[in-house]
Amino acid sequence: MSSACERHELKHLSASTLNLFQNAPGLFILEKLMGKKQPVGCAAHRGNAVEAGIIIGLNNPDAPLEDCIAHAVKEFDRLSALSTDPNREKERKGIAGMVEHGLAELRPYGKPSHYQREVIWTHPDMPLPMKGYIDLQYEEHGIITDIKTTFRVPSEISETHARQVASYGYATSDNIDLRLTYISDKKAVTYRLENAREHLNAMVKIAQALERFLSISDDPAELAKYIAVDFGSFYWSDPNARRAGFEVWGY
């Protein structure tokens, strides 16, 4: 018998999908079930561009910082060429500092053995396989670290990020050292993830809640009736998303 997730044509789950269901179930319905994908904001483009510049610098330890920054800026311009995001210039200005501080933080680890490594894993208590991409893995040191770019470095790992990295540990090894590197245009900080098993268990429970919710109906429009959407949330900051949401919820 197929799972409710499969009946809604979901092929796999991911940390971002489960986090979206938990934090913005209306947007989950809109994007994942109704197929109304929303534009990617320039913050995401900035994160991808910074990561590209950092990887250039990690794989080429002697590469000048200016070259790594130039590569990142070029990548951002490519990704955001058609974007109407009003924060585009702000995000672009943060790239240079983020690449600089990111390389200062990560170059001491040496050259990564893998970057953007795809991992797919199953769990006996989850309805579908999980899929993710490990930002940086250092097999020699037994370390995995995920890169998060931000204009404000947090004082600790967020719950959503903890679950994501905990899943990478489950997918690779119980003995792996799991970390998150937060990078801003002012500084970079790396935190070691503790209690990975607890965070993984939380992800399993969210996946089970998703399966139960989807089992209510095979019709996304019917499921939408069970959700009251907070359009003031930052998840709905894009005007296109709010317009699409109005078409579904009518307010």
Side-chain angles (χ1 to χ4, degrees):
M1 180 181 297
S2 63
S3 69
C5 287
E6 289 173 313
R7 292 197 300 276
H8 281 276
E9 299 184 357
L10 297 176
K11 306 301 182 185
H12 62 266
L13 299 176
S14 67
S16 61
T17 295
L18 293 177
N19 288 333
L20 182 64
F21 169 68
Q22 180 191 30
N23 296 305
L27 193 58
F28 169 87
I29 292 172
L30 195 70
E31 290 195 338
K32 303 298 184 181
L33 304 186
M34 295 182 171
K36 298 181 179 182
K37 301 293 185 183
Q38 302 308 306
V40 176
C42 280
H45 294 322
R46 176 253 295 157
N48 290 330
V50 169
E51 186 174 316
I54 288 173
I55 288 174
I56 288 289
L58 294 179
N59 283 331
N60 303 277
D62 297 325
L65 174 61
E66 293 76 12
D67 291 353
C68 300
I69 292 173
H71 179 81
V73 171
K74 183 178 180 181
E75 180 67 4
F76 177 83
D77 289 344
R78 182 185 70 82
L79 293 171
S80 65
L82 300 178
S83 176
T84 58
D85 188 336
N87 294 317
R88 182 179 186 275
E89 192 57 30
K90 172 192 172 183
E91 302 294 352
R92 192 178 192 273
K93 288 180 179 178
I95 291 174
M98 291 180 182
V99 173
E100 177 183 0
H101 292 290
L103 284 175
E105 177 73 11
L106 294 169
R107 267 181 164 165
Y109 288 75
K111 184 177 179 180
S113 54
H114 304 283
Y115 55 91
Q116 278 297 302
R117 177 187 174 189
E118 181 182 275
V119 288
I120 299 175
W121 53 275
T122 59
H123 189 284
D125 298 322
M126 298 180 80
L128 288 177
M130 287 285 294
K131 183 178 180 179
Y133 294 87
I134 298 172
D135 283 346
L136 299 173
Q137 184 171 357
Y138 300 85
E139 286 188 332
E140 180 182 356
H141 307 301
I143 293 173
I144 284 174
T145 191
D146 205 60
I147 296 174
K148 301 297 182 186
T149 60
T150 176
F151 282 105
R152 182 176 296 178
V153 172
S155 58
E156 60 183 2
I157 299 172
S158 73
E159 291 294 320
T160 55
H161 295 161
R163 291 194 290 265
Q164 178 185 357
V165 175
S167 73
Y168 297 157
Y170 185 87
T172 53
S173 169
D174 288 336
N175 298 318
I176 204 80
D177 185 347
L178 301 171
R179 305 182 183 189
L180 278 107
T181 299
Y182 289 96
I183 303 169
S184 77
D185 56 339
K186 301 292 190 298
K187 66 177 181 179
V189 177
T190 298
Y191 300 118
R192 180 176 283 109
L193 179 65
E194 306 292 344
N195 301 322
R197 181 63 61 178
E198 292 180 14
H199 294 297
L200 177 69
N201 290 341
M203 179 173 286
V204 171
K205 291 182 182 300
I206 295 169
Q208 292 172 338
L210 172 61
E211 175 70 10
R212 289 193 294 271
F213 175 69
L214 296 184
S215 69
I216 294 173
S217 174
D218 291 344
D219 181 3
E222 180 67 20
L223 291 174
K225 297 177 182 179
Y226 290 82
I227 298 298
V229 178
D230 175 13
F231 289 108
S233 164
F234 76 90
Y235 282 97
W236 295 93
S237 58
D238 186 275
N240 295 313
R242 291 196 298 273
R243 282 193 292 271
F246 181 82
E247 292 175 0
V248 175
W249 284 274
Y251 61 89

